[in-house]
Amino acid sequence: MIVLLLLFLLPILFLLILSRILHDPNKVGVIVLGDVGRSPRMRNHCLSLAQEDFTVQYVAERGSTVHPDLLKNTSVNLYLTSPWSLPKIPLQLLIKPLCQTITLTMVCLRHFLGCSAILMQNPPCIPVMAVVWFTCRLYGARMIIDWHNYGYTILGLKLPTTSPVVRAARMFERFFGRLADENFCVTNAMSHDLVNNWGITAYALHDRPCKKTKLSTSQKHDLLLRLGKEYPIFKEDEETTLLTTTNEDGKPVKRTKRSALIVSSTSWTPDEDFSVLLEALRAYNSEWSEDFPDLVVAITGNGPQKAYYQGLIRDSPLEHVQVVTCWLEPEDYPKLLAAADLGVSLHWSSSGLDLPMKVVDMFGAGLPVCSRDFSCIRELVIHGKNGCVFSDAAHLSRQFRSIFKRFGEPECQHLAILGNGVKHFQSLPWHYHWQHVALPLLREGFEFKDYGSDDEPSFPVGGPLTMM
């Protein structure tokens, strides 16, 4: 027994001593138990840390394509793990977290040695919260949680909220969440909820676009010609695309009479009910008149319900609406957003406290958005200023008709007004906001910069923008 105890304690003691020797105040670990290509906020954290001369150890799961900015940044060391998947067997809910705990512990102990802080995304919380807490205590690092949502509320989409599993997940999340040294979250609403219900102080760090994407007419033409090779809806021939054509000199120019292009990104899951958009498009089609353009709706993303809705789209063609489901490379997605006329977000928060990152991507491309309404969405989408919020399919259909009435004519001013509001949102970029909210938690002794300086946009720390 003593021998076994020594075999267990000696490696821990060795790591404990080694971590103090290798401790680097400018080395930070970042971990997300999710697809590296579908974790844009954590990617933005890594890039901002690198911009502030930190060395970043980033652990995430393999999945979709890694963003090029991560791959080419020499200050970010990326370590990809394989997602855990088990066949349906008895006690799977216990066996999978146990296997994940063992694997994640080994990964964290290996890659986070010497880190001064470890930043983790929540959710998912099981088992990563416990593993990060153990690693931080062993290595003398600070545990920092970025609250994107509550994990137990997402679990509650699949199981009854009264289920023992959901209740246990909530207790686990609350217990380890309160052990974190620092916290920030995605909305003011979540910040208030965390402190009021769980006694956790979390600073609101709103998502902002890292960079603006703007395309010239020539770039739009080239993009749609290229995408049209796989998705013919984007081009008519080698000279004419959905949005552009060529003049007598062969130069790309805007088409005067064309369909409007709408883009929506979805994960095809229950918290993004695609049937709402489908019903709205059917209503638009039935109410169509010469005052309105035809619509081309591009739906990007992958998920469990994609094949089901593709079947509905295929079996119910509409005369004035065409829908295409596509999968784009990371560098093409923001370009398609920049080429589009309007974005649609179907995201509905399981907790009512988080915001859809896809809307931030759309704003970064200068694209106004129609977003599904829920409790805190107006921290991001301000109705009538940078977009519109809708409650159901009929409401969304009315917004389409209002926005696109007399499309392409001088009388159509709605899109221009919303576009000006989006430009206001873009004036506060991600890194500037991150410097004032996240960086002080990651670097001790950091001094806040003045938000009221002449060369910087003036907005409150952690607060929503006020549209004028």
Side-chain angles (χ1 to χ4, degrees):
M1 180 63 72
I2 296 176
V3 174
L4 291 175
L5 186 62
L6 287 174
L7 288 175
F8 175 74
L9 291 178
L10 285 176
I12 292 179
L13 181 61
F14 172 76
L15 290 173
L16 184 69
I17 297 172
L18 187 61
S19 66
R20 271 54 177 183
I21 295 173
L22 299 178
H23 181 84
D24 183 351
N26 290 320
K27 185 177 181 181
V28 173
V30 178
I31 183 169
V32 52
L33 194 62
D35 187 336
V36 63
R38 299 177 67 180
S39 304
R41 183 173 166 100
M42 302 313 284
R43 177 191 72 222
N44 293 344
H45 278 301
C46 290
L47 296 176
S48 284
L49 284 163
Q51 192 171 334
E52 295 294 330
D53 297 324
F54 284 89
T55 299
V56 183
Q57 304 288 100
Y58 185 23
V59 174
E61 290 184 348
R62 291 184 180 88
S64 50
T65 307
V66 182
H67 197 281
D69 288 349
L70 275 181
L71 293 176
K72 67 185 181 183
N73 195 305
T74 57
S75 296
V76 179
N77 302 310
L78 180 61
Y79 306 98
L80 299 179
T81 64
S82 298
W84 265 96
S85 59
L86 292 175
K88 291 186 177 180
I89 56 176
L91 302 177
Q92 183 185 22
L93 289 175
L94 293 177
I95 294 174
K96 182 178 179 179
L98 179 61
C99 294
Q100 283 183 318
T101 299
I102 296 171
T103 305
L104 272 178
T105 301
M106 300 300 294
V107 169
C108 289
L109 291 179
R110 176 183 177 185
H111 295 301
F112 294 154
L113 184 64
C115 289
S116 61
I118 300 176
L119 169 62
M120 63 157 286
Q121 172 185 308
N122 182 63
C125 61
I126 300 175
V128 65
M129 267 190 178
V131 172
V132 170
W133 173 82
F134 171 76
T135 306
C136 286
R137 297 292 80 83
L138 180 64
Y139 285 170
R142 287 176 298 130
M143 177 181 178
I144 302 176
I145 300 177
D146 188 7
W147 296 80
H148 295 199
N149 203 342
Y150 291 124
Y152 78 90
T153 64
I154 296 177
L155 190 59
L157 295 174
K158 301 177 181 179
L159 300 172
T161 54
T162 56
S163 165
V165 175
V166 176
R167 293 170 65 183
R170 183 182 185 277
M171 292 173 61
F172 177 95
E173 191 169 12
R174 180 177 183 269
F175 176 80
F176 281 101
R178 296 176 72 176
L179 296 179
D181 297 290
E182 304 287 356
N183 300 270
F184 36 83
C185 57
V186 295
T187 62
N188 293 329
M190 177 165 276
S191 176
H192 296 151
D193 192 80
L194 280 166
V195 73
N196 291 335
N197 294 322
W198 287 1
I200 295 173
T201 299
Y203 300 92
L205 174 64
H206 290 87
D207 285 304
R208 294 285 181 266
C210 275
K211 58 179 72 172
K212 301 176 186 178
T213 304
K214 189 173 182 179
L215 299 183
S216 65
T217 301
S218 178
Q219 289 172 321
K220 291 179 182 179
H221 186 77
D222 293 341
L223 171 71
L224 295 178
L225 283 178
R226 181 160 49 80
L227 295 180
K229 295 177 181 178
E230 186 171 357
Y231 307 104
I233 198 172
F234 290 123
K235 72 170 185 176
E236 295 181 8
D237 52 47
E238 293 305 317
E239 294 184 351
T240 305
T241 73
L242 177 64
L243 307 178
T244 60
T245 187
T246 54
N247 60 18
E248 295 177 354
D249 299 327
K251 182 180 179 181
V253 293
K254 296 179 182 179
R255 291 179 62 175
T256 54
K257 185 72 174 178
R258 65 173 178 86
S259 301
L261 176 58
I262 296 175
V263 176
S264 180
S265 174
T266 178
S267 57
W268 304 97
T269 52
D271 64 340
E272 293 187 352
D273 187 359
F274 184 75
S275 65
V276 174
L277 177 56
L278 205 54
E279 291 173 18
L281 294 175
R282 288 170 179 163
Y284 179 91
N285 187 74
S286 65
E287 297 286 339
W288 186 90
S289 72
E290 294 293 338
D291 284 338
F292 306 120
D294 288 351
L295 299 181
V296 172
V297 184
I299 313 295
T300 70
N302 277 325
Q305 297 182 337
K306 182 176 181 178
Y308 169 73
Y309 282 110
Q310 282 178 318
L312 292 182
I313 295 167
R314 184 174 55 252
D315 297 339
S316 305
L318 302 174
E319 182 179 357
H320 299 289
V321 177
Q322 297 182 75
V323 180
V324 57
T325 57
C326 48
W327 179 254
L328 304 177
E329 293 298 324
E331 59 270 23
D332 284 337
Y333 174 61
K335 292 178 182 178
L336 182 62
L337 295 181
D341 300 298
L342 183 69
V344 173
S345 171
L346 302 170
H347 177 84
W348 174 80
S349 171
S350 62
S351 64
L353 301 172
D354 71 310
L355 294 171
M357 186 67 186
K358 67 194 68 179
V359 173
V360 178
D361 294 334
M362 292 173 181
F363 284 169
L367 185 64
V369 177
C370 289
S371 176
R372 188 172 178 179
D373 196 10
F374 59 91
S375 58
C376 67
I377 188 62
R378 292 168 198 264
E379 290 189 34
L380 180 61
V381 180
I382 302 176
H383 187 73
K385 298 294 184 180
N386 57 11
C388 300
V389 295
F390 61 88
S391 55
D392 53 29
H395 194 184
L396 178 58
S397 179
R398 290 196 301 272
Q399 289 178 356
F400 286 160
R401 295 196 298 274
S402 173
I403 290 171
F404 290 123
K405 187 174 183 180
R406 310 296 295 273
F407 179 69
E409 300 179 15
E411 294 86 347
C412 183
Q413 294 292 317
H414 203 156
L415 272 176
I417 293 171
L418 298 179
N420 287 334
V422 172
K423 290 179 182 177
H424 185 94
F425 180 91
Q426 290 178 323
S427 63
L428 179 61
W430 161 264
H431 187 70
Y432 178 79
H433 189 47
W434 182 91
Q435 282 181 310
H436 291 78
V437 180
L439 187 57
L441 307 184
L442 291 156
R443 177 180 288 166
E444 295 180 2
F446 178 82
E447 293 184 3
F448 282 91
K449 293 184 178 180
D450 180 16
Y451 263 85
S453 61
D454 294 335
D455 58 342
E456 300 278 9
S458 180
F459 297 107
V461 176
L465 303 184
T466 302
M467 309 302 293
M468 302 303 292

